[in-house]
Amino acid sequence: MKTGYKVALYTATLAVVFGATWAAGAATGPPETPAAHSEEATHGDETTHGGHEVTPVKIPPGLSVSDNGYTLRLNENKSLAFHIEGPDGQPATKFEVEHEKRLHLIVVRRDGSNFQHVHPEMAPDGTWSIPLGLPDAGSYRVFADFKPEDGPKTTLGADVHTPGDYRPKTYADSRTFTADGYEVSLTGELNPGKASTVTIEISKNGRPVTDLQNYLGAKGHLVALRASDLAYLHVHPEESDQVKFAVEVPTAGRYRLFLDFQHEDQVRTAEFTLTTHEEGGHGH
């Protein structure tokens, strides 16, 4: 096989199982939706349990191949290719520009390594494609983040696989990242159920960097993923002289955060691992 990886699509909406270990998520992927209990009955968007209506829980973005009527369809080729199937069953071709791009493609191995944030090109027929290197064996989660014209903002996820000897990595909590003479530090706590502000400080060779270039319309672009299942979380840049983001985490647990920033005409990525305030104290 020329591609070196195989495509594996989840054809049904995937349930979130809180408290699952990162290792289990890396080995098996998100669990399937549990079968309904014998005492429950589902009617449309409502579920009854013991005669009482239960409000359904919205699955976080990125855990399903389909959402809001749109479906991510991956194709196996020399490059990663895919299209977004619209509610009418046809490839969608009209997307709004967000953060200077019509679609953001995030790729990360299921152990939280090998993060990539790329921007494929779309052909007139709605096929997106981009060369994509997945050198290390294992399953990778592919996220398509987009907003169709006249449609809701949507994040879809599917898996691709690189065969070979899979050796998962583990990550301890870390608020500092160093590479190429840069030191990037993160302050702030993650609090489940509400937006939390995190602040980024960047220095190079011991001196603060004060001339960051805009990347995707801001001083940085942050992606946050829940470690247990790689749920894709909402992150919003805040208007400030500093590099700040509002991060919304739905549950307690550990999270991987990836910051793209541009300096001296080069984009670099800093990585952090945080546990929520309730479980991890002050992130020591």
Side-chain angles (χ1 to χ4, degrees):
M1 183 175 296
K2 297 181 179 180
T3 62
Y5 56 86
K6 298 180 179 179
V7 175
L9 291 180
Y10 290 94
T11 57
T13 301
L14 304 180
V16 179
V17 176
F18 302 127
T21 64
W22 193 332
T28 64
E32 296 181 357
T33 303
H37 191 277
S38 59
E39 295 182 0
E40 295 182 354
T42 302
H43 302 281
D45 293 332
E46 297 179 349
T47 301
T48 60
H49 182 84
H52 299 283
E53 292 185 357
V54 179
T55 301
V57 177
K58 174 67 174 177
I59 292 178
L63 291 180
S64 177
V65 72
S66 297
D67 195 16
N68 295 324
Y70 293 85
T71 301
L72 174 62
R73 301 292 187 189
L74 296 179
N75 301 322
E76 190 173 0
N77 209 320
K78 292 182 180 179
S79 64
L80 182 68
F82 62 94
H83 68 269
I84 305 298
E85 183 179 294
D88 59 358
Q90 300 300 314
T93 58
K94 296 181 179 180
F95 300 86
E96 294 186 7
V97 174
E98 290 195 308
H99 301 293
E100 300 185 344
K101 300 293 181 180
R102 291 186 294 169
L103 185 143
H104 297 263
L105 193 72
I106 307 298
V107 183
V108 64
R109 201 168 71 161
R110 280 202 165 270
D111 61 355
S113 66
N114 294 42
F115 174 88
Q116 298 181 57
H117 178 180
V118 295
H119 302 102
E121 296 292 330
M122 188 188 74
D125 66 355
T127 299
W128 299 84
S129 62
I130 189 169
L132 191 64
L134 305 176
D136 297 332
S139 292
Y140 292 75
R141 193 65 172 169
V142 177
F143 301 95
D145 186 346
F146 60 92
K147 187 179 188 306
E149 288 188 3
D150 302 321
K153 181 172 175 59
T154 301
T155 303
L156 304 177
D159 278 3
V160 296
H161 183 72
T162 298
D165 183 14
Y166 173 56
R167 298 184 179 183
K169 298 180 180 180
T170 59
Y171 296 91
D173 280 17
S174 174
R175 292 171 172 266
T176 303
F177 180 86
T178 57
D180 302 327
Y182 289 88
E183 180 174 289
V184 187
S185 61
L186 180 150
T187 57
E189 304 295 340
L190 301 181
N191 298 293
K194 62 181 180 179
S196 307
T197 297
V198 297
T199 302
I200 305 293
E201 294 183 353
I202 302 173
S203 62
K204 182 180 181 182
N205 298 325
R207 296 182 177 181
V209 173
T210 59
D211 57 343
L212 283 177
Q213 299 164 301
N214 274 0
Y215 177 64
L216 301 176
K219 295 301 182 183
H221 190 280
L222 187 68
V223 169
L225 302 172
R226 187 166 54 190
S228 61
D229 57 6
L230 298 186
Y232 188 95
L233 307 180
H234 293 294
V235 178
H236 310 283
E238 295 186 351
E239 293 292 336
S240 172
D241 292 336
Q242 296 177 291
V243 184
K244 291 186 174 184
F245 300 90
V247 185
E248 303 173 34
V249 298
T251 61
R254 177 170 286 182
Y255 292 83
R256 290 278 284 160
L257 283 72
F258 302 89
L259 172 74
D260 291 328
F261 66 95
Q262 183 167 301
H263 186 241
E264 297 179 346
D265 299 322
Q266 183 174 346
V267 177
R268 294 174 172 84
T269 302
E271 304 180 5
F272 311 96
T273 304
L274 272 68
T275 300
T276 52
H277 181 65
E278 284 78 359
E279 290 192 359
H282 293 282
H284 295 303

